[in-house]
Amino acid sequence: MSVPFVHHPAYCADLPANHRFPMDKFRAVAALIRSEGLLSAQDFMRPRPAPFDWVALAHDPAYVDQVFHNKVPTAVAREIGFPMREDISLRARCATGGSVLTGYLALEHGLACNTAGGSHHARRAHGAGFCVFNDVAVAIRVMQADGAIQKALVIDLDVHQGDGTADIFSGDPNVFTFSMHAEKNYPVRKVPSDWDIGLTDDTGDAEYLRILRYALGELIQKGPWDIAFFNAGVDPFEGDRLGRLAMSREGLIERDRLVISTLRQENIPVAGVLGGGYSTDIDELADRHVGLHRAAIHVRAEAERA
């Protein structure tokens, strides 16, 4: 059985050539997945743009209205870091719709991955840090409202703390937020998750994976979980422009396989989202990100051989 992958052409909007956010990576990720034959016999699953009512389940409706109608205040747009145009709004809606679809596909197939998503700095009140809407939070709220799930686990391994996700789900007993990140990295003022592990700079593969194995065991015990959303940010990589954890490519591969296999061994559906990754070398960055999709296929194949 193949692993469903979700993609929409609108994931890639236009930005100035010197912009810090590597927008072209989304197009490159999809192209690499195709060229490697990772889609098997099926094509990408294409999401619809998230409608207002979905997004307003996780965000202040006034902010959602501003994004949908291109009326985001200048100060908020500056905090987000994008020029808030119609194509940027559409991109956010499509990426969010993509994570919703990924969640439902994970329930059906046990495992599914988006080619975008992981916009974990967007809080309930507004976006921040290149994140317009918190796609994972919206997906969980939509699935809860639909009665498809009750209890959800968020495993966020982006190098930056998932402050927006923590903000949206603060005090919610049905959603457990876990963030393992570089403690001295953005954001400076962190919003406490249900469980945060802030790592020291240059942690490296061995210590990172040791801590992660322990954490995964503890998270399993806190269940049962109806679904887990896995933010597989690749910015812990030693060569990433914004990373500080000195992980190797091999360490990232082992990390993704460890997370997915541990959850699937417990029959927890896994929805993987792309998360952060920053480089001027888009081909290298896309190859790093596709590690999530390769890991998903590897774990599925191992399970079928067992």
Side-chain angles (χ1 to χ4, degrees):
M1 183 188 300
S2 60
V3 179
F5 295 154
V6 175
H7 181 72
H8 195 293
Y11 285 178
C12 191
D14 290 329
L15 287 177
N18 61 347
H19 199 281
R20 291 177 67 221
F21 187 80
M23 185 70 76
D24 287 342
K25 71 179 184 178
F26 300 107
R27 185 184 296 113
V29 163
L32 185 57
I33 288 172
R34 282 192 187 281
S35 70
E36 291 190 6
L38 302 183
L39 290 172
S40 187
Q42 75 177 35
D43 202 348
F44 285 112
M45 306 296 287
R46 183 164 174 165
R48 69 181 178 115
F52 184 99
D53 289 349
W54 285 8
V55 184
L57 291 171
H59 292 287
D60 185 334
Y63 168 65
V64 180
D65 185 75
Q66 290 169 353
V67 175
F68 272 54
H69 295 96
N70 300 311
K71 296 180 179 179
V72 176
T74 301
V76 174
R78 187 179 302 114
E79 188 167 353
I80 294 170
F82 289 145
M84 293 307 297
R85 307 183 310 256
E86 184 175 352
D87 62 327
I88 298 293
S89 173
L90 178 61
R91 178 198 173 274
R93 292 177 59 198
C94 288
T96 300
S99 289
V100 173
L101 178 56
T102 301
Y104 279 102
L105 288 169
L107 291 186
E108 181 180 356
H109 298 275
L111 178 58
C113 297
N114 201 353
T115 58
S119 296
H120 61 169
H121 297 308
R123 304 186 184 189
R124 177 162 182 79
H126 58 76
F130 303 137
C131 302
V132 179
F133 296 140
N134 193 311
D135 55 284
V136 166
V138 172
I140 290 172
R141 288 295 189 227
V142 168
M143 298 175 79
Q144 287 176 325
D146 195 31
I149 64 168
Q150 180 181 5
K151 293 178 68 77
L153 171 63
V154 179
I155 297 178
D156 189 338
L157 299 185
D158 192 283
V159 80
H160 305 101
Q161 195 250 0
D163 58 327
T165 313
D167 173 71
I168 291 170
F169 292 121
S170 178
D172 186 337
N174 288 319
V175 181
F176 193 92
T177 55
F178 170 70
S179 177
M180 191 163 112
H181 51 267
E183 180 63 29
K184 293 182 179 179
N185 216 333
Y186 177 91
V188 175
R189 290 181 291 278
K190 297 170 175 59
V191 178
S193 307
D194 290 304
W195 187 11
D196 284 302
I197 297 180
L199 301 174
T200 58
D201 287 2
D202 301 319
T203 291
D205 292 350
E207 181 67 1
Y208 185 101
L209 293 168
R210 182 191 69 79
I211 295 170
L212 179 58
R213 287 190 186 93
Y214 164 76
L216 289 171
E218 294 295 308
L219 292 170
I220 295 297
Q221 294 302 312
K222 294 179 184 297
W225 306 111
D226 298 319
I227 194 168
F229 277 84
F230 170 35
N231 183 331
V234 294
D235 38 12
F237 175 56
E238 59 191 347
D240 193 274
R241 291 177 65 190
L242 301 183
R244 308 170 72 119
L245 294 181
M247 290 192 73
S248 69
R249 289 292 300 273
E250 293 75 18
L252 288 174
I253 292 168
E254 186 172 351
R255 178 201 70 174
D256 291 354
R257 291 181 178 180
L258 175 63
V259 171
I260 296 171
S261 62
T262 299
L263 294 170
R264 291 304 300 137
Q265 285 167 12
E266 300 294 328
N267 292 315
I268 301 170
V270 181
V273 297
L274 213 65
Y278 303 87
S279 175
T280 56
D281 185 340
I282 296 299
D283 290 338
E284 181 278 326
L285 180 56
D287 188 61
R288 229 190 303 159
H289 275 304
V290 174
L292 166 67
H293 306 82
R294 298 186 190 111
I297 290 173
H298 173 85
V299 171
R300 172 58 54 80
E302 288 288 303
E304 290 176 350
R305 283 194 290 267

